[in-house]
Amino acid sequence: MKGKRRLTGLIIGLTFSAGCGGGVTSAGSPGSSETPGPSSTRSPAAPRVSPPPRTGLPRPGEVARIPVPANGVPVISSIPTKRKVVFLTIDDGWEQDPGFLRQVRDQRIPITVFAMRDAVEANGSPDAASGGGRYVGAGGWDYFRELRDAGAPIEGHTLTHPNLRALGYERQKAEICGMSTLIRREVGRRPALLRPPFGNYNADTTRAAATCGIKAIMMWTATVQPEGKIAYQVPDKRLRPGDILLLHFRPNLARDFRVLVKKIKRRGFEIGDLGAYLKAAGVPVS
């Protein structure tokens, strides 16, 4: 009888351990004491959850065509539409604020992310645009996979944030193609868009971008400063239909983003899905 109780206890103990992720497991399985390497992590190609329904889509016939050069790629600073719609883009990746992620996911706000390797992986020192801080979450790609799962496409912003105009063709290609390959590996989709650091580019940039599979170089018409303030690049200092706004992953992003979204809506504008509008304009983004 005593032996039977001991056997029963052993079975229960093993069952409990397996249910809690403990017990005897194979290497790399849940509960293993070994930490799987990058090659054994889950494939980034399949999002963990279905993205939310898309919002900010263009109406039929709303968007004018954007000419696509036979060689190279178009350089786009605004979307040709008369509808009161603007587009939110965000660069780098130094600050990984979970509050911002929740806003994008829960409110289904369409954004486009332009990730830079050194920022995402917290290598080196942030540039001035980052606001000088580094959120505790910085240093990995999980945050960007969550943004992807919330419906935000992850596009390219080079590996190291150089002034591309100061580089020759081959080095520009290495920066652009290298980032595209990295995003494909980490997020599961090769970028279709490039945001050149500092907005600097030349003919070599457009040629290298086309070689790397980029479909358009994306500029902007206004930048968003701390506390959601919009710095316009037009004389009348106001939002215009089709404007592309540039933000950065900086400290207090969740607060600033909340202020910005309210400001945009208060002025009678909607927030558009940039990829959908580019497709409507004839730019073959995936």
Side-chain angles (χ1 to χ4, degrees):
M1 187 69 178
K2 185 182 296 183
K4 185 175 180 181
R5 284 197 301 270
R6 188 180 298 115
L7 179 60
T8 301
L10 178 60
I11 293 170
I12 292 171
L14 286 172
T15 302
F16 177 78
S17 297
C20 295
V24 181
T25 58
S26 59
S29 64
S32 170
S33 60
E34 296 184 25
T35 302
S39 61
S40 61
T41 56
R42 64 175 177 81
S43 169
R48 287 170 290 179
V49 296
S50 298
R54 298 174 74 193
T55 60
L57 300 178
R59 298 164 184 158
E62 173 195 338
V63 189
R65 302 284 292 184
I66 295 175
V68 177
N71 297 312
V73 296
V75 179
I76 300 168
S77 353
S78 64
I79 301 298
T81 177
K82 295 180 180 179
R83 182 178 172 186
K84 292 184 72 173
V85 59
V86 297
F87 305 90
L88 303 183
T89 66
I90 180 163
D91 286 8
D92 294 340
W94 292 107
E95 297 278 324
Q96 299 180 10
D97 186 336
F100 169 71
L101 170 63
R102 284 194 296 271
Q103 288 179 62
V104 170
R105 182 186 59 222
D106 297 348
Q107 298 177 36
R108 302 176 180 176
I109 300 172
I111 64 167
T112 301
V113 174
F114 291 88
M116 190 265 286
R117 182 198 63 188
D118 283 3
V120 175
E121 298 179 0
N123 294 325
S125 300
D127 60 32
S130 73
R134 198 181 287 174
Y135 195 82
V136 68
W141 283 93
D142 283 347
Y143 186 80
F144 291 83
R145 285 187 277 266
E146 290 189 73
L147 283 168
R148 171 206 64 191
D149 293 348
I154 311 300
E155 307 292 356
H157 192 41
T158 74
L159 292 168
T160 66
H161 207 268
N163 177 359
L164 291 175
R165 277 204 306 245
L167 304 181
Y169 171 77
E170 290 298 333
R171 287 187 62 194
Q172 290 199 43
K173 187 173 75 167
E175 283 281 343
I176 298 167
C177 289
M179 192 61 197
S180 292
T181 299
L182 177 61
I183 291 173
R184 172 66 181 85
R185 186 177 74 224
E186 296 291 347
V187 180
R189 171 190 168 272
R190 195 169 183 86
L193 306 175
L194 170 69
R195 167 75 44 79
F198 315 108
N200 291 340
Y201 66 93
N202 56 20
D204 281 341
T205 312
T206 60
R207 188 160 61 98
T211 300
C212 298
I214 297 296
K215 305 304 182 184
I217 291 176
M218 300 306 303
M219 303 296 282
W220 59 91
T221 49
T223 61
V224 179
Q225 306 301 319
E227 300 181 6
K229 295 177 180 177
I230 302 174
Y232 301 95
Q233 297 181 347
V234 291
D236 53 2
K237 306 296 182 186
R238 63 182 178 86
L239 287 177
R240 297 179 175 186
D243 275 353
I244 297 173
L245 277 59
L246 165 62
L247 299 88
H248 287 88
F249 287 95
R250 65 169 76 238
N252 302 309
L253 177 59
R255 178 203 64 193
D256 294 351
F257 192 70
R258 185 165 52 250
V259 171
L260 174 66
V261 169
K262 288 180 180 178
K263 183 180 296 185
I264 289 169
K265 293 181 177 179
R266 191 165 59 244
R267 295 179 183 178
F269 282 79
E270 302 173 70
I271 299 171
D273 183 311
L274 180 59
Y277 269 78
L278 287 171
K279 286 181 184 178
V283 180
V285 296
S286 57

